[in-house]
Amino acid sequence: MLESLCTLITALTCVSAVTVLTQKPTVVSLSRGESVIMDCNLGTSTDAGALWYKQVPGGVPQFVLVWYHSWSSVTYGSGFSSPRFTSTHQSTSDYRLMINNLEEGDSAVYYCQTWDGSAGEGTKLIVTSSSLPPPVLTVFPPSRAELQSNKATLVCLSRLSAPFAEVSWLLGDTSVSSGISTSTPVQQADQTFQISSHLSILTSDWDAQKVYTCKVSVGSQTAEKSIKKSECEE
């Protein structure tokens, strides 16, 4: 099987055209013990296999498995095996990755790739449990030096038990759509993850005692933390 894989990859990596792969769903959140199906369409490739990779934010991609429609069995990467991980195809250009009995450690982005090195944009999988704690948030006010100018920055630090989160900001009850910069999760020594999100604001809005709220969701768990100028004054 490995010899066949190497032969196919060697023969097909000479293809100069870039294949456009489509992955679905983009994001999926499930509970521990459930199963997930991720689809990958290889576009114009009609005689190629699908390689799947797992990548945790801040980590290197891990080879999960490869499946080619004419093979008799799946070839796995180190640490991955049946029956938890498997693959099927619906046509010569439509492949699926299936993970059964999900664990929190399965949370990652899963990428589909074909022989010529083209890859999809990934499926973000978030696995949670009923015991998953909500994010812990800390919001920092603008620095005094920044407040001397027209714009300043709020910082929201989030400590999470999973490597993915949805971060948003509110001004009063209105969602903020610009001026936001959010980092990817960084794993800490205690195996938790930290995300920092920066919001650029107008100094005049801060002086007007407007309320800003940082909102972070991990699966079904959501936490919010609000801040305004009067609460930060000594």
Side-chain angles (χ1 to χ4, degrees):
M1 180 65 72
L2 287 175
E3 183 177 329
S4 300
L5 171 62
C6 292
T7 301
L8 279 168
I9 292 178
T10 301
L12 293 169
T13 47
C14 297
V15 178
S16 59
V18 175
T19 306
V20 178
L21 278 66
T22 303
Q23 287 188 237
K24 295 181 179 179
T26 304
V27 181
V28 59
S29 178
L30 295 168
S31 298
R32 183 174 58 186
E34 292 187 302
S35 298
V36 66
I37 294 175
M38 305 179 200
D39 289 320
C40 178
N41 177 270
L42 304 184
T44 56
S45 292
T46 57
D47 190 30
L51 299 89
W52 292 89
Y53 291 85
K54 170 185 178 182
Q55 185 171 23
V56 174
V60 297
Q62 296 175 275
F63 171 56
V64 179
L65 60 82
V66 58
W67 171 241
Y68 181 59
H69 59 81
S70 66
W71 288 351
S72 59
S73 61
V74 174
T75 297
Y76 290 96
S78 176
F80 303 93
S81 63
S82 178
R84 280 234 305 130
F85 295 86
T86 189
S87 183
T88 61
H89 67 280
Q90 288 67 54
S91 70
T92 56
S93 60
D94 289 288
Y95 285 82
R96 279 183 170 175
L97 172 66
M98 294 168 287
I99 309 176
N100 301 307
N101 194 22
L102 287 168
E103 303 170 354
E104 286 90 337
D106 295 326
S107 297
V109 179
Y110 290 82
Y111 294 97
C112 174
Q113 181 177 311
T114 192
W115 304 134
D116 64 5
S118 302
E121 293 186 354
T123 291
K124 181 189 293 185
L125 172 64
I126 303 171
V127 183
T128 62
S129 69
S130 57
S131 61
L132 185 70
V136 177
L137 310 184
T138 306
V139 181
F140 297 94
S143 68
R144 292 183 177 179
E146 278 190 309
L147 291 173
Q148 303 304 312
S149 63
N150 291 329
K151 289 189 176 182
T153 305
L154 298 176
V155 180
C156 179
L157 291 183
S158 313
R159 186 168 290 274
L160 320 164
S161 54
F164 296 112
E166 299 296 328
V167 181
S168 60
W169 287 86
L170 302 173
L171 172 53
D173 296 325
T174 304
S175 178
V176 179
S177 59
S178 62
I180 300 173
S181 175
T182 301
S183 70
T184 56
V186 177
Q187 190 165 24
Q188 307 298 297
D190 61 0
Q191 303 306 306
T192 62
F193 296 84
Q194 182 171 284
I195 293 179
S196 63
S197 182
H198 296 70
L199 174 64
S200 179
I201 65 172
L202 295 174
T203 302
S204 57
D205 286 339
W206 179 253
D207 291 337
Q209 301 292 340
K210 293 188 177 181
V211 179
Y212 293 88
T213 302
C214 177
K215 182 177 180 180
V216 181
S217 299
V218 179
S220 61
Q221 298 283 6
T222 299
E224 296 183 1
K225 185 76 172 181
S226 298
I227 190 171
K228 64 178 180 179
K229 182 178 180 180
S230 62
E231 296 174 343
C232 304
E233 295 175 336
E234 296 179 356

